[in-house]
């Protein structure tokens, strides 16, 4: 007889989502869009997906929904059945506001919701503390207050991050002691002005690396407090990277994580990086995250548990990539898949010495950037290079805490989900394919995805880009040769007269 989740009393994942009403926050983000796309594609009989949307820069919710549905991630939905996108219902609101900015009428519309997925978050590391608390902490509390009134609720999935407890070197699938009181944090954000709160931030956060990890940790404390009243699970992805196969090979829509490294490194702008070459990074492709999240959602709903399960959606330790290997892949890929608009041959000096980094920063970033901007001004163009260099420096500085530390992410709960997937669901929801893919192959498809989906560069342009790469290679080698000859010539002319005077005469 069938055992475990293959037993007949448990429905298949597709059957579970049939006729369901889902409420999703953060649905316009990288992960949120992919979750919606996967549900509509693999579970087309879902009844509706309520999407929290806010007015943004004067664009009304209805207009934002049109733009949202036209996103390239939904291309295969349009090919299959475009009417499926009509199941996405916008609710005007804002995660920064009390009650998520929802009207009483819209809250009532949620009464038949049985699945909540909380994906809303500000992932900016430099977000002011007050704003981060509103977005990442208070919004979680407002959501559980709404969830308490939903009589049909089967599961609430809170999406966190594996890095929300960075003080620990081993991150287990459990809730850690609080860094601060989440209630007190919300009161401070509501009562103090931004400048005062920013002054108190470092000490109040117990010197955590940034406001993102701190406020996400507080949000987990909220979920832990409500775990006996609501069917909650916590899902912690590591660094989410381009997809392996769904919705498209290498799909990505932001420059975070590995994509930013490949893009900035491939442009030739980056000449020096402050990082450790030995520490490793934990990547998890987008489609692995989406599939495992939906499996975890299904399991909690069809097999209720009194415990709140935490899932660390992180790859195995063996799959992690060191800084040295990551940049080796980056520059090897720059030759295979060069960008159309390189400014120089992609290459960079990696150093863990901060003093040496500062010297190289001036010689290889600031000085050349100022020269290039001067040329742009003479040509009547807008000077942008130095500004790009400045932004990259601040971005890399905010990441330095993570560049010099290693973590071990315990992922037993997440990996065990593979054993729970019913046989008929394995094709659509199995998620162990990243563990078996060759790392070079994955880096290649990730780089190609960034080139195609982010930079909008066509494969037809590759021959010209490769020709430009060869030209830059010759120029780079030529200048280095000239520099080496000049140094040798200078040394000979400086040392030989002294040697001649002392020994020959």
């Amino acid at each position: 007889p069938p055992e475990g989740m293959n037993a007949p009393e448990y429905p298949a994942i597709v059957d579970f989502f049939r006729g369901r009403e889902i409420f999703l926050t953060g649905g316009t983000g990288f992960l949120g869009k992919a979750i919606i796309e996967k549900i509509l594609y693999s579970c087309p009989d879902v009844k509706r997906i309520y999407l929290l949307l806010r007015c943004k820069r004067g664009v009304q919710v209805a207009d934002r929904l049109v733009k949202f549905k036209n996103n390239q991630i939904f291309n295969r939905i349009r090919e299959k059945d475009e009417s499926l996108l009509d199941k996405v219902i916008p609710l005007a609101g804002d995660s920064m506001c009390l009650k998520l900015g929802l009207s009483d009428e819209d809250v009532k519309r949620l009464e038949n919701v049985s699945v909540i997925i909380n994906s809303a978050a500000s992932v900016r590391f430099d977000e002011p503390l007050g704003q981060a608390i509103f977005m990442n902490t208070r919004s979680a509390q407002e959501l559980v207050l709404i969830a308490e009134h939903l009589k049909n609720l089967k599961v609430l999935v809170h999406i966190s991050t594996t890095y929300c407890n960075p003080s620990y070197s081993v991150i287990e699938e459990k809730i850690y002691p609080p860094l601060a009181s989440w209630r007190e944090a919300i009161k401070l954000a509501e009562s103090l002005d931004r400048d005062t709160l920013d002054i108190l931030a470092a000490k109040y956060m117990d010197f955590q690396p940034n406001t993102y990890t701190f406020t996400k940790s507080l949000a987990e404390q909220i979920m832990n407090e409500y775990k006996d009243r609501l069917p909650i699970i916590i899902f912690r992805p590591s660094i989410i990277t381009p997809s392996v196969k769904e919705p498209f090979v290498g799909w990505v829509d932001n420059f975070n994580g590995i994509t930013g490294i490949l893009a900035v490194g491939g442009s030739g702008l980056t000449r020096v990086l402050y990082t450790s070459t030995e520490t490793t990074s934990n990547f998890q492709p987008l489609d692995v995250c989406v599939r495992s999240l939906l499996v975890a959602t299904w399991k909690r709903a069809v097999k209720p548990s009194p415990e709140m399960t935490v899932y660390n959606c992180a790859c195995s330790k063996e799959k992690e990539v060191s800084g040295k290997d990551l940049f080796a892949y980056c520059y090897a890929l720059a030759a295979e898949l060069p960008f159309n608009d390189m400014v120089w041959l992609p290459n960079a000096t990696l150093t863990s010495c901060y003093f040496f980094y500062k010297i190289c920063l001036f010689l290889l970033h600031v000085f050349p950037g100022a020269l290039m901007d001067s040329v742009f001004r003479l040509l009547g163009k807008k000077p942008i290079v130095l500004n790009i260099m400045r932004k990259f420096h601040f971005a890399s500085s905010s990441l330095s805490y993570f560049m010099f530390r290693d973590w071990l992410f315990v992922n037993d709960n997440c990996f065990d989900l593979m054993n729970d997937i019913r046989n008929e669901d394995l094709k659509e929801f199995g998620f162990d394919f990243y563990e078996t893919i060759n790392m070079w192959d994955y880096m290649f498809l990730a780089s190609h995805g960034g080139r195609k989906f982010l930079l909008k560069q066509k494969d037809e342009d590759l021959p010209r880009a490769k020709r430009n790469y060869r030209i830059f290679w010759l120029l780079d080698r030529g200048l280095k040769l000239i520099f080496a000859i000049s140094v040798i010539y200078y040394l000979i002319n400086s040392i030989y007269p002294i040697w001649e005077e002392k020994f020959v005469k």
Side-chain angles (χ1 to χ4, degrees):
E3 296 181 355
M5 301 299 286
N6 273 299
E9 63 263 30
Y10 300 117
I13 296 176
V14 174
D15 294 331
F16 164 73
F17 279 103
R18 181 176 291 116
R20 295 266 169 209
E21 293 189 17
I22 301 170
F23 178 40
L24 181 73
T25 66
T28 58
F30 181 42
L31 180 59
K33 283 198 296 282
I35 293 170
I36 293 174
E37 196 277 342
K38 179 62 177 175
I39 293 174
L40 291 177
Y41 186 81
S42 297
C43 307
D45 292 327
V46 66
K47 189 172 183 180
R48 58 178 63 96
I49 301 174
Y50 289 109
L51 173 63
L52 185 69
L53 273 180
R54 64 183 173 92
C55 297
K56 190 175 182 181
R57 295 170 186 165
V59 181
Q60 297 303 308
V61 167
D63 296 325
R64 285 199 69 197
L65 181 67
V66 171
K67 184 179 179 181
F68 176 79
K69 289 181 177 180
N70 288 331
N71 192 284
Q72 60 185 345
I73 194 175
F74 298 116
N75 284 352
R76 66 173 186 168
I77 299 291
R78 282 186 281 271
E79 292 173 3
K80 181 178 182 178
D81 182 0
E82 191 168 6
S83 67
L84 289 172
L85 290 169
D86 294 333
K87 296 188 177 188
V88 180
I89 311 297
L91 297 180
D94 188 342
S95 294
M96 297 281 287
C97 299
L98 294 173
K99 214 167 69 173
L100 302 181
L102 293 169
S103 66
D104 292 338
E105 181 184 12
D106 282 341
V107 171
K108 185 170 176 57
R109 294 173 72 184
L110 298 175
E111 61 184 0
N112 292 318
V113 163
S114 56
V115 176
I116 295 177
I117 301 175
N118 182 29
S119 182
S122 169
V123 297
R124 284 181 52 190
F125 284 4
D126 60 347
E127 189 81 79
L129 180 58
Q131 299 298 302
I133 289 173
F134 288 147
M135 187 67 194
N136 297 336
T137 306
R138 191 177 70 175
S139 65
Q141 213 249 330
E142 296 302 311
L143 183 63
V144 295
L145 292 177
I146 292 172
E148 281 191 300
H149 298 287
L150 303 181
K151 297 178 181 179
N152 298 314
L153 187 65
K154 296 293 184 182
V155 57
L156 188 162
V157 184
H158 173 70
I159 300 176
S160 186
T161 171
T162 53
Y163 294 95
C164 67
N165 296 286
S167 303
Y168 298 87
S169 57
V170 178
I171 308 299
E172 299 181 58
E173 293 172 302
K174 68 177 186 180
I175 299 296
Y176 283 82
L179 297 169
S181 163
W182 62 266
R183 287 187 176 85
E184 182 183 90
I186 293 173
K187 286 181 181 178
L188 285 175
E190 291 174 339
S191 59
L192 296 180
D193 62 84
R194 174 175 169 172
D195 291 338
T196 304
L197 200 55
D198 286 346
I199 292 171
L200 298 173
K203 184 171 178 59
Y204 181 69
M205 294 193 304
D206 195 24
F207 300 98
Q208 293 300 298
N210 54 65
T211 57
Y212 170 65
T213 59
F214 176 70
T215 52
K216 292 297 284 183
S217 175
L218 293 181
E220 286 198 359
Q221 299 301 324
I222 295 173
M223 296 299 155
N224 191 47
E225 190 163 317
Y226 280 83
K227 66 183 179 182
D228 296 326
R229 287 175 270 176
L230 293 169
I232 299 173
I233 61 172
I234 292 179
F235 187 83
R236 296 175 180 157
S238 59
I239 302 169
I240 305 178
T241 53
S243 60
V244 175
K245 53 186 178 180
E246 280 191 321
F248 313 104
V249 175
W251 190 80
V252 64
D253 76 343
N254 64 76
F255 287 103
N256 296 333
I258 184 178
T259 316
I261 293 172
L262 292 170
V264 176
S267 69
L269 274 174
T270 306
R271 313 311 300 173
V272 61
L273 281 163
Y274 179 54
T275 183
S276 168
T277 57
E278 301 305 319
T279 54
T280 58
S281 298
N282 191 294
F283 301 131
Q284 197 66 291
L286 176 67
D287 41 354
V288 173
C289 294
V290 171
R291 287 183 174 211
S292 54
L293 181 145
L294 293 177
V295 174
T297 303
W298 160 78
K299 181 180 178 181
R300 177 60 180 84
V302 302
K303 192 178 181 181
S305 168
E307 300 297 323
M308 180 181 71
T309 308
V310 178
Y311 296 95
N312 285 341
C313 185
C315 70
S316 63
K317 192 67 179 175
E318 295 73 26
K319 201 68 179 177
E320 292 184 348
V321 184
S322 69
K324 180 181 179 180
D325 289 341
L326 178 60
F327 287 99
Y329 285 130
C330 177
Y331 297 121
L333 285 164
E336 293 287 326
L337 296 168
F339 295 157
N340 294 348
D341 305 310
M342 287 186 298
V343 298
W344 196 252
L345 184 74
N347 198 9
T349 299
L350 308 181
T351 179
S352 57
C353 175
Y354 191 71
F355 179 71
F356 181 66
Y357 166 71
K358 282 292 188 179
I359 294 173
C360 291
L361 185 70
F362 177 78
L363 294 176
L364 302 178
H365 279 191
V366 177
F367 183 64
L371 284 178
M372 292 178 73
D373 279 348
S374 298
V375 173
F376 282 151
R377 288 190 182 93
L378 290 173
L379 295 174
K381 296 183 178 180
K382 184 180 179 181
I384 59 171
V385 178
L386 203 56
N387 190 40
I388 293 174
M389 297 288 195
R390 187 183 297 109
K391 287 182 178 179
F392 181 77
H393 168 65
F394 286 129
S396 60
S397 297
S398 68
L399 289 170
S400 61
Y401 179 92
F402 303 93
M403 294 290 199
F404 289 89
R405 288 168 175 79
D406 271 320
W407 288 270
L408 174 63
F409 299 113
V410 178
N411 51 17
D412 296 341
N413 289 345
C414 192
F415 270 57
D416 284 348
L417 288 171
M418 272 301 301
N419 300 321
D420 295 320
I421 302 175
R422 294 175 64 89
N423 295 333
E424 62 264 42
D425 287 326
L426 278 171
K427 182 180 178 181
E428 285 296 316
F429 295 97
F431 57 87
D432 58 349
F433 42 81
Y434 178 60
E435 293 296 321
T436 57
I437 191 173
N438 178 274
M439 205 59 206
W440 167 260
D441 292 339
Y442 177 70
M443 288 294 181
F444 186 91
L445 68 86
S447 182
H448 185 264
R451 192 180 190 279
K452 178 180 179 181
F453 298 113
L454 274 178
L455 301 178
K456 311 297 182 186
Q457 297 181 2
K458 299 178 181 178
D459 289 347
E460 292 80 5
D461 298 330
L462 267 176
R464 181 174 63 86
K466 287 185 176 181
R467 184 168 62 251
N468 291 341
Y469 180 89
R470 288 192 291 270
I471 293 172
F472 278 121
W473 187 90
L474 289 171
L475 287 171
D476 182 77
R477 295 301 186 271
L479 284 175
K480 286 179 178 177
L481 180 61
I482 292 171
F483 178 76
I485 292 172
S486 300
V487 170
I488 293 171
Y489 179 79
Y490 172 78
L491 290 174
I492 290 174
N493 280 274
S494 299
I495 297 172
Y496 181 74
I498 299 172
W499 178 83
E500 185 180 37
E501 182 180 347
K502 188 171 183 178
F503 294 102
V504 176
K505 294 181 179 180

